[in-house]
């Protein structure tokens, strides 16, 4: 593989090493518990997906999988697609992405801006249909595509085992002097939960791993509603690491997103969902310390109405007082 130009190398070096923030909103409900989360929106691509995508892409380049002009192909609900498009553009790798048509406009625009080819699938068919379509393209056109397959690629979970997990553990230990009692994560590809949970349980086997499971419809972008007949279970997901599964829905996630925004954390609905579950665990189990993640930025959901109507009455009141 040719040497990576300095500017691209600098971009890659910006992945990870994100701030660890304490979620003070949780302490209002559970004063005895502290909740910490990695702020993944500060990655160059704006989400936690930068971590596995860079790892998978670099491995593919090193092993010649993208030689002869083959295109990187994968399915994505949006965030991984942005990362693929961004780093593909930086490294000169052509990218094709199969994305459900209901991905937010901000995500689709960001992917297009980096020059990736987009294939949109019927949102009513669900995300698993986009995965199936990517697999069909890879099977029918092996000379054109290298299928990255983030659901089965072991470099996905290894990226989190080597980076996200240690960063979370070091940060929590530095703040509290002890490892977290519990770790709350969602399941998309299964890479984050598998990699981070393995690392945390190696350091502290008593750490309880809790999976936040969304409803099937409307669901929560980036999280899979596992547990229904026919749901595709990611190949890299190690279900033996999961101690509990707790339900969550958009009605839980949205108020939490808006609450977090008022503390300076402008994050997307998956983050709201994870913090909501962390709150529930803090209240029910009376734990002292919980670790979780804030996977992406709220900027990607403006067009979805996530922030619509926020504080309209307060703004009106302030205007009328002048």
């Amino acid at each position: 593989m040719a040497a990576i130009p300095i500017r691209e190398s600098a971009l890659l070096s910006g992945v990870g090493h994100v701030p660890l923030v304490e979620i003070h909103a949780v302490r209002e409900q559970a004063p005895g518990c502290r909740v910490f989360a990695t702020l993944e929106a500060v990655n160059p691509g704006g989400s936690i997906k930068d971590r596995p995508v860079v790892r998978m892409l670099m491995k593919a380049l090193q092993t010649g999988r993208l030689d002869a002009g083959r295109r990187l192909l994968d399915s994505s609900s949006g965030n991984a697609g942005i990362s693929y498009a961004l780093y593909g553009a930086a490294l000169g790798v052509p990218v094709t992405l199969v994305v459900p048509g209901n991905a937010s406009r901000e995500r689709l625009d960001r992917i297009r801006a980096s020059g990736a080819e987009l294939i949109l699938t019927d949102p009513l068919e669900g995300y698993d249909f986009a995965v199936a379509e990517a697999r069909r393209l890879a099977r029918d056109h092996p000379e054109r595509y290298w299928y990255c397959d983030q659901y089965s690629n072991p470099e996905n979970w290894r990226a989190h085992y080597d980076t996200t997990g240690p960063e979370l553990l070091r940060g929590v230990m530095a703040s509290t002097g002890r490892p977290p009692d519990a770790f709350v994560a969602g399941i998309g590809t299964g890479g984050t939960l598998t990699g981070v949970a393995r690392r945390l349980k190696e350091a502290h086997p008593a750490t309880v791993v809790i999976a936040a499971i969304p409803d099937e419809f409307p669901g929560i972008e980036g999280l899979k509603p596992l547990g229904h007949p026919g749901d595709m279970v990611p190949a890299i997901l190690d279900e033996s690491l999961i101690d509990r599964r707790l339900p969550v829905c958009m009605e839980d996630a949205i108020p939490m997103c808006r609450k977090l925004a008022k503390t300076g954390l402008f994050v997307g609905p998956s983050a709201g969902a994870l913090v909501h579950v962390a709150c529930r665990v803090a209240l029910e189990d009376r734990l002292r310390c919980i670790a979780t993640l804030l996977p992406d930025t709220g900027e990607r959901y403006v067009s979805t109405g996530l922030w619509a109507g926020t504080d309209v009455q307060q703004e009106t009141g302030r205007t009328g007082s002048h």
Side-chain angles (χ1 to χ4, degrees):
M1 186 185 77
I4 299 173
I6 292 175
R7 62 176 183 172
E8 283 79 6
S9 178
L11 183 66
L12 299 179
S13 69
V15 177
H17 319 293
V18 304
L20 184 79
V21 296
E22 183 168 1
I23 311 297
H24 295 287
V26 175
R27 302 199 76 175
E28 296 174 9
Q29 301 179 42
C33 183
R34 301 179 72 183
V35 175
F36 296 90
T38 54
L39 186 61
E40 299 292 337
V42 303
N43 283 302
S47 84
I48 196 169
K49 289 297 187 177
D50 277 15
R51 297 176 185 263
V53 164
V54 166
R55 177 79 170 243
M56 294 185 292
L57 181 53
M58 295 307 297
K59 184 71 170 182
L61 287 169
Q62 291 163 3
T63 56
R65 298 293 185 91
L66 293 164
D67 290 351
R70 293 174 82 195
R71 303 181 67 87
L72 183 149
L73 169 71
D74 212 344
S75 55
S76 169
S77 64
N79 278 334
I82 290 170
S83 299
Y84 281 129
L86 171 67
Y87 296 104
L91 297 170
V93 175
V95 172
T96 297
L97 299 164
V98 184
V99 179
N102 61 344
S104 70
R105 187 181 68 230
E106 291 85 354
R107 289 183 176 191
L108 298 177
D109 287 348
R110 179 75 184 268
I111 291 170
R112 291 187 180 103
S114 295
E117 177 186 34
L118 266 175
I119 298 173
L120 300 181
T121 59
D122 184 349
L124 295 179
E125 296 285 355
Y127 180 68
D128 287 355
F129 182 79
V131 176
E133 179 63 11
R135 289 176 176 172
R136 183 193 67 79
L137 289 169
R139 183 178 62 252
D140 293 351
H141 305 282
E143 74 294 338
R144 175 175 171 80
Y145 298 115
W146 174 67
Y147 182 34
C148 187
D149 192 6
Q150 57 175 328
Y151 279 84
S152 303
N153 193 321
E155 298 304 322
N156 183 339
W157 71 261
R158 287 172 184 155
H160 295 292
Y161 179 86
D162 289 339
T163 68
T164 322
E167 287 176 34
L168 197 54
L169 184 59
R170 281 195 303 269
V172 171
M173 290 286 291
S175 297
T176 68
R178 60 197 304 275
D181 298 310
F183 170 58
V184 176
I187 300 170
T189 64
T192 302
L193 187 148
T194 297
V196 175
R198 278 180 179 162
R199 176 65 80 169
L200 293 181
K201 281 183 176 285
E202 283 179 8
H204 186 58
T207 297
V208 177
V209 175
I210 299 157
I213 306 297
D215 50 1
E216 189 164 13
F217 188 84
I220 298 172
E221 282 197 60
L223 303 183
K224 282 184 65 62
L226 295 179
H228 300 85
D231 285 343
M232 185 190 75
V233 178
I236 60 172
L237 174 64
D238 185 348
E239 295 188 84
S240 70
L241 295 166
I242 301 172
D243 298 299
R244 293 174 63 190
R245 299 173 187 238
L246 293 178
V248 67
C249 63
M250 279 296 282
E251 286 74 17
D252 303 318
I254 290 174
M256 183 57 72
C257 284
R258 294 176 176 176
K259 188 171 188 176
L260 292 173
K262 290 182 173 59
T263 70
L265 298 172
F266 195 60
V267 294
S270 61
L274 298 183
V275 175
H276 172 84
V277 170
C279 276
R280 175 179 168 183
V281 172
L283 283 168
E284 293 179 356
D285 297 357
R286 301 183 181 278
L287 302 179
R288 292 171 58 191
C289 180
I290 299 173
T292 188
L293 312 146
L294 303 176
D296 68 357
T297 170
E299 301 283 357
R300 290 183 179 162
Y301 305 92
V302 174
S303 67
T304 68
L306 176 61
W307 310 107
T310 306
D311 273 359
V312 171
Q313 290 182 336
Q314 290 185 28
E315 290 170 7
T316 303
R318 284 196 296 269
T319 302
S321 65
H322 288 293

